[in-house]
Amino acid sequence: MHGLIDRRDLIAALDQAVDKHVTVISAPAGSGKTSLLQAWAARRRQDRRIAFLSVKPGQHDAQLFWLTLLGAIRGTEAPPPAPGFNGRAMVDKVLSELTAYGGPVVLIIDDLHELTSAEATDQLTVLLTNLPADIHAIVATRRDLPLRLHQLRLAGELAEIRAAELRFTEDETRKLLTAAGITLPDQAVTTLYERTEGWAAGLRLAVLSLAGHPDPERFVAEFSGSDRTVAEYLMAEMLDRQPPEVQRLLLRTSLLDQVNGELADLLTGSGGSERILLDLEDANAFVVSLDPARSWFRYHHLFGGLLRLELRRTVPGDVPELHRIAARWFADHGGTADAIHHLQAAGDWTDAAHLLTDHALSLTLDGQAGTVAVLLRTFPARIGEDFPGLALVYAIADLDQLHLDQADAHLDVVRAYAETTPPDQQHQLRLALASLDLLSARLRGHFDSVFEQVDALPATAYGQTNAEVALGNDLRAIALLNLGVTQAWSLRLAESEKSLSEGAALAHDIGRPYLEVACLAHLGFAVTGRSYALARQHCENAIAQAALHGWDAEPVIAPAQATLAGLLISAGEFDRGEEWLERARRATEAGAEPGVRLLIHLITAMLRAARGRLPEALAELGAAEQMRARITGKHALTSRVTGWTIATQARLGEIDQARATLAAVDDQLAAAGEIRTAAAVVRLAEHDPAGARRELRPVLDRAAPINPYATLIEAHLLDALACRDLGDERAARAALERALQLAEPDRLIVPFAMTGARELLTALPPHGTSHAALITDILDAVHGDSPTSTTPPEPVEKLSPTELRVLRYLPTNLTRPEIATELSVSLNTVNTHIRRIYTKLGASDRSSAVQRGRDLRLLSVGRA
């Protein structure tokens, strides 16, 4: 661009400011903040990485702000949004990405005053006060924001640049005129400087008016004597000097936050708009391109405001129709929120209400719940009476925030309204009602109600528009998700797997990745009753899909993270399991449905108990019970929570409390295998092994319902302990062998850790088991060593614990690199262990090593 000057003093001031952690540039519109930032960034890109973000006007959604910021840091498009935003996790992600760069980074956020989300402002405070040493942030705003940076100010790590420092000096004013090819006497320059008070926008407007003016001195003299404000005077002068087609374009497109050539042509009723916009940007005339292709533009905020004033002053009657034209264009090009905004501005409240009702769900799924809330607040109070269909939008917003009572009240309004609507509108309303009722019932834990309501979902109606079909597909995908989750929480796992798989497939087909990930995230739990290996595969797939969209720290993926943590912990991988458990906890900090939080507390309790930290386990079980109490229906994990609570109380010596908890269990729950095994733990604590065996009999006979089959392993281990206490060592060993046989396929270790089975395992005689590798894993997980009793018989040389672990993978189809990955070791290490295994077993290849291992009872022959 031409007509700009080098403001060395300001650049130097900003150079000095970035020695501190944070710089705030706060000054009114037109002070030159953006120009300064762009000029400084252009000079400093050579020696540091710069991420530049201009906040979009009216940015109401915290998630969209953070995703755009993340895209700026990565130098890519912003990741797609999703409902259920976790702000704290996003702050951690941004800090991680900044740190990972490994060099100095400057994060520039311009127009921060446009961010209207208090939630995002609070989160930004956390980011700015926790920046790594080589990261600097510059924020520019028209007004001071509640960023709470006083600690940085006290520490001398905050630099501030205000309006007075941004004003042009008289010398800079003279240089600006010279750079634009304008010659004025010194007195006229002084007059212009005094009149504008060095205000950057005023000087730029003056330069645009003076360029080519027949009598520049007269212009300055008249300008200095005007009673009108500087901005209005200069704007009128500048517009008067523009060709008619440029004036028309500037005025008629000023009501847009951003404009492209096609939309400008529609609003002006003529062609060539893109060329005009490009020329205006090249002339530095308050027009800025927004993309590398220079196809979208915006006006400087002050300039746009003045143009809108002039538009309303000169042709007020044209304004509503211009908004309608813009609304139609945005509606046709996927800009639903902008279309609704322009309909509201035109006063077309009914059309705006219809459009918002039709698209509120899709906007929420696209992470624009905050925008929906702002659009709702923009309607006049009476519109709720004139258009009760908006109650559906309120219900969607309430469900998104887990305000279930308010949501149900709004759904009742919609129900009454649906009875009076024309037939062509009734279908969509009824489908929306059925789907949202289903979601509300699931979140409340009204599981029976969910199953009743799912049959009420209307089928697709004939002759629907594309928009209606799209909404119907969204609602059906949500219905399948809600049904599948409810089936899982009701232990109808096979049905849950089917519903969630169908929901994920439909969501994939209609381009709803958030719903697809949500279905996949619950699918791992749904298949735990069928296969732990398959459950783990589903969890890892869901987590990978979420990571592709940047949702790996969002509540949507927490079910998969928690389930994967449980699978890893069950297999004795306590540290890795705890890592995933911590991720699930962080993802649900901002809130999650009670069922998911119950699962997280339960798995945490399992980990604490497995590590012998029983008081902590009991506290987590108490938190799980609080979540369970918020669920109306009977959650599938209720028996597990109650059973483990009773057993943990007994193991802590709180026998009376355990008995009281057991006595409070209703008859239906008391028949569950988890409660039976808990009662056996109480009996053992009371030194009543015979009574313990009686409690266990329905479980061992598989007459009592159990969830999952790990309960059966626990029952066999408790039976082994009871037999030992009764002096029947043979029966104790048989029960222990059955537990090992059940645990072998999935390498389940937690039941042994939680029941205190170490003494049982170490008491096994040599050659007494075919599960030597599993026993080594159990003892390593619980105590970090392996028993001498697992020594193979002579003349085979003893295999080390690590070699036994490698040996257990040889019967599988895993390649050596895959075995290395499973064990988190190098391929070289695996090769070394396999050579030693061959030597010690006297084997020449993999198959013979497997057979020799089975002969020596180091490997199990197969699953029971």
Side-chain angles (χ1 to χ4, degrees):
M1 296 184 202
H2 63 270
L4 296 180
I5 64 170
D6 189 353
R7 305 192 70 189
R8 291 188 179 88
D9 291 345
L10 266 181
I11 295 291
L14 199 48
D15 278 336
Q16 187 175 3
V18 295
D19 289 336
K20 303 181 185 297
H21 253 49
V22 177
T23 299
V24 175
I25 304 176
S26 180
S31 298
K33 300 181 295 295
T34 300
S35 297
L36 170 62
L37 290 173
Q38 290 174 339
W40 182 87
R43 292 178 179 226
R44 297 296 176 257
R45 289 188 188 277
Q46 301 301 319
D47 55 5
R48 67 195 72 194
R49 183 178 179 183
I50 295 177
F52 201 118
L53 167 68
S54 292
V55 180
K56 180 182 176 182
Q59 182 61 272
H60 309 299
D61 295 281
Q63 181 177 189
L64 294 183
F65 166 75
W66 283 106
L67 291 176
T68 307
L69 180 61
L70 194 60
I73 292 169
R74 293 174 174 174
T76 62
E77 291 290 325
F85 174 62
N86 184 343
R88 180 62 219 225
M90 180 58 77
V91 171
D92 291 341
K93 181 188 285 289
V94 169
L95 286 170
S96 175
E97 299 248 352
L98 288 170
T99 304
Y101 178 67
V105 179
V106 177
L107 180 62
I108 300 176
I109 305 175
D110 194 14
D111 294 328
L112 187 57
H113 54 273
E114 296 287 0
L115 182 62
T116 61
S117 166
E119 176 190 7
T121 303
D122 289 343
Q123 292 154 3
L124 184 59
T125 297
V126 176
L127 176 73
L128 296 178
T129 53
N130 289 278
L131 289 173
D134 56 350
I135 308 298
H136 183 85
I138 306 174
V139 296
T141 173
R142 289 187 193 175
R143 60 183 181 276
D144 289 342
L145 298 172
L147 285 173
R148 303 192 311 279
L149 302 178
H150 54 278
Q151 290 182 341
L152 290 175
R153 185 178 287 110
L154 290 173
E157 290 296 334
L158 178 67
E160 297 177 86
I161 297 176
R162 300 284 175 174
E165 298 166 82
L166 292 170
R167 291 192 185 103
F168 276 62
T169 65
E170 184 173 342
D171 184 54
E172 286 177 325
T173 302
R174 187 173 286 104
K175 290 179 180 178
L176 182 66
L177 292 167
T178 301
I182 299 168
T183 303
L184 286 176
D186 287 345
Q187 183 55 48
V189 173
T190 301
T191 300
L192 179 62
Y193 168 70
E194 290 175 349
R195 179 71 171 119
T196 60
E197 296 182 331
W199 181 42
L203 288 171
R204 288 175 66 187
L205 282 167
V207 166
L208 289 170
S209 298
L210 284 165
H213 198 285
D215 192 348
E217 291 184 60
R218 183 172 61 81
F219 169 82
V220 173
E222 292 176 353
F223 165 47
S224 64
S226 172
D227 291 330
R228 294 164 63 186
T229 66
V230 172
E232 290 178 354
Y233 181 91
L234 291 172
M235 173 64 73
E237 288 291 328
M238 188 277 291
L239 278 176
D240 286 347
R241 298 191 55 74
Q242 300 300 321
E245 65 273 16
V246 175
Q247 290 187 38
R248 183 177 176 82
L249 181 144
L250 289 172
L251 290 173
R252 294 175 73 85
T253 61
S254 64
L255 47 75
L256 303 169
D257 288 332
Q258 56 187 39
V259 62
N260 64 8
E262 179 184 343
L263 186 49
D265 285 346
L266 280 175
L267 291 170
T268 59
S270 59
S273 298
E274 184 173 53
R275 182 68 262 164
I276 294 174
L277 290 165
L278 288 168
D279 289 343
L280 287 170
E281 185 187 28
D282 289 340
N284 198 26
F286 293 89
V287 177
V288 180
S289 60
L290 299 175
D291 58 328
R294 298 178 73 196
S295 57
W296 280 95
F297 303 85
R298 73 165 175 83
Y299 301 131
H300 184 283
H301 302 309
L302 172 72
F303 186 57
L306 292 170
L307 285 171
R308 285 189 289 275
L309 284 173
E310 186 69 8
L311 177 68
R312 289 194 294 270
R313 186 183 68 81
T314 54
V315 286
D318 291 352
V319 173
E321 183 57 26
L322 291 173
H323 279 296
R324 293 186 187 102
I325 294 171
R328 287 193 292 270
W329 188 91
F330 279 113
D332 291 342
H333 291 79
T336 304
D338 288 319
I340 296 167
H341 166 73
H342 284 291
L343 286 172
Q344 291 176 326
D348 295 346
W349 299 109
T350 300
D351 289 343
H354 276 297
L355 193 59
L356 182 57
T357 300
D358 288 345
H359 292 275
L361 180 62
S362 63
L363 288 170
T364 302
L365 290 174
D366 288 337
Q368 297 187 64
T371 297
V372 171
V374 170
L375 290 171
L376 273 174
R377 289 197 296 269
T378 306
F379 284 99
R382 63 171 177 77
I383 197 68
E385 301 173 5
D386 294 347
F387 195 78
L390 271 181
L392 188 71
V393 184
Y394 281 104
I396 292 169
D398 287 333
L399 287 170
D400 182 66
Q401 296 295 314
L402 299 179
H403 298 157
L404 304 185
D405 290 340
Q406 296 95 309
D408 287 349
H410 285 122
L411 289 174
D412 286 341
V413 172
V414 180
R415 248 182 288 279
Y417 169 65
E419 297 299 322
T420 65
T421 57
D424 61 329
Q425 296 179 25
Q426 279 189 5
H427 176 81
Q428 288 302 110
L429 278 176
R430 287 174 177 167
L431 179 58
L433 274 169
S435 295
L436 295 177
D437 280 338
L438 199 60
L439 175 57
S440 177
R442 167 195 147 194
L443 294 175
R444 287 183 179 278
H446 287 159
F447 297 153
D448 292 340
S449 177
V450 170
F451 297 129
E452 292 170 4
Q453 292 178 33
V454 74
D455 294 330
L457 284 172
T460 302
Y462 177 75
Q464 287 183 301
T465 66
N466 290 337
E468 290 170 336
V469 171
L471 176 61
N473 284 332
D474 282 346
L475 291 168
R476 289 187 181 283
I478 291 173
L480 285 166
L481 168 64
N482 294 327
L483 178 61
V485 173
T486 301
Q487 289 166 331
W489 290 158
S490 301
L491 210 59
R492 296 162 62 167
L493 298 184
E495 297 171 50
S496 172
E497 182 180 357
K498 181 175 182 293
S499 297
L500 292 171
S501 297
E502 289 179 1
L506 174 59
H508 179 80
D509 290 343
I510 64 176
R512 283 290 180 200
Y514 172 79
L515 291 177
E516 181 182 6
V517 168
C519 290
L520 294 175
H522 286 276
L523 193 55
F525 180 85
V527 301
T528 51
R530 183 155 70 92
S531 166
Y532 275 29
L534 182 59
R536 181 169 172 172
Q537 181 180 331
H538 278 309
C539 288
E540 290 171 343
N541 177 43
I543 290 168
Q545 288 292 322
L548 286 176
H549 298 286
W551 301 333
D552 43 338
E554 299 300 326
V556 66
I557 199 58
Q561 293 170 328
T563 302
L564 178 59
L567 295 170
L568 291 168
I569 292 165
S570 295
E573 298 184 56
F574 295 163
D575 290 340
R576 288 185 63 200
E578 187 161 30
E579 289 174 7
W580 284 109
L581 195 53
E582 181 57 32
R583 294 187 190 188
R585 274 195 293 263
R586 287 200 303 269
T588 53
E589 282 176 344
E593 63 181 281
V596 174
R597 296 175 69 185
L598 187 160
L599 179 64
I600 292 171
H601 284 302
L602 184 63
I603 293 169
T604 304
M606 178 174 73
L607 176 62
R608 300 290 182 262
R611 284 178 160 163
R613 291 149 60 176
L614 296 182
E616 296 175 29
L618 191 59
E620 289 291 342
L621 289 166
E625 173 59 26
Q626 290 178 1
M627 290 298 108
R628 189 212 60 76
R630 292 172 56 183
I631 299 172
T632 307
K634 185 153 289 186
H635 195 283
L637 297 175
T638 298
S639 60
R640 172 66 58 175
V641 172
T642 306
W644 278 0
T645 298
I646 295 167
T648 305
Q649 288 170 337
R651 287 171 179 140
L652 282 169
E654 301 174 6
I655 306 300
D656 291 342
Q657 186 60 51
R659 274 288 174 197
T661 307
L662 184 59
V665 174
D666 64 55
D667 292 341
Q668 182 180 359
L669 185 60
E674 290 71 31
I675 305 303
R676 291 282 192 175
T677 57
V681 174
V682 176
R683 294 281 192 178
L684 287 172
E686 294 174 330
H687 308 292
D688 180 10
R693 295 203 75 193
R694 286 194 299 273
E695 297 284 2
L696 292 168
R697 186 52 49 202
V699 184
L700 298 175
D701 292 343
R702 306 201 183 193
I706 58 171
N707 167 36
Y709 79 92
T711 300
L712 187 58
I713 299 174
E714 291 179 34
H716 280 299
L717 290 172
L718 293 172
D719 191 44
L721 290 169
C723 290
R724 182 200 62 183
D725 290 351
L726 289 168
D728 190 345
E729 295 294 338
R730 181 176 178 181
R733 285 196 297 273
L736 178 59
E737 183 67 24
R738 284 192 288 272
L740 288 165
Q741 190 73 16
L742 285 169
E744 181 73 54
D746 289 314
R747 314 297 294 176
L748 293 189
I749 286 172
V750 157
F752 298 87
M754 293 180 67
T755 53
R758 176 181 169 81
E759 292 182 12
L760 293 173
L761 295 173
T762 55
L764 282 174
H767 332 313
T769 178
S770 60
H771 306 284
L774 175 58
I775 292 173
T776 297
D777 286 348
I778 293 170
L779 293 171
D780 275 0
V782 178
H783 296 290
D785 58 17
S786 58
T788 57
S789 59
T790 60
T791 305
E794 295 295 341
V796 177
E797 184 182 350
K798 176 182 175 182
L799 269 65
S800 71
T802 307
E803 289 164 355
L804 282 169
R805 288 195 196 93
V806 173
L807 175 64
R808 85 166 190 241
Y809 285 102
L810 296 187
T812 70
N813 292 323
L814 294 178
T815 64
R816 292 189 181 195
E818 290 170 337
I819 294 173
T821 300
E822 288 290 317
L823 293 171
S824 300
V825 298
S826 69
L827 175 59
N828 206 31
T829 299
V830 169
N831 288 334
T832 300
H833 287 317
I834 289 178
R835 284 196 300 271
R836 290 175 180 168
I837 291 169
Y838 288 179
T839 300
K840 292 180 179 182
L841 296 185
S844 59
D845 55 27
R846 186 166 177 166
S847 60
S848 62
V850 170
Q851 187 58 52
R852 183 68 172 146
R854 287 173 174 161
D855 292 342
L856 295 169
R857 306 191 72 183
L858 297 173
L859 290 171
S860 175
V861 174
R863 182 169 186 165

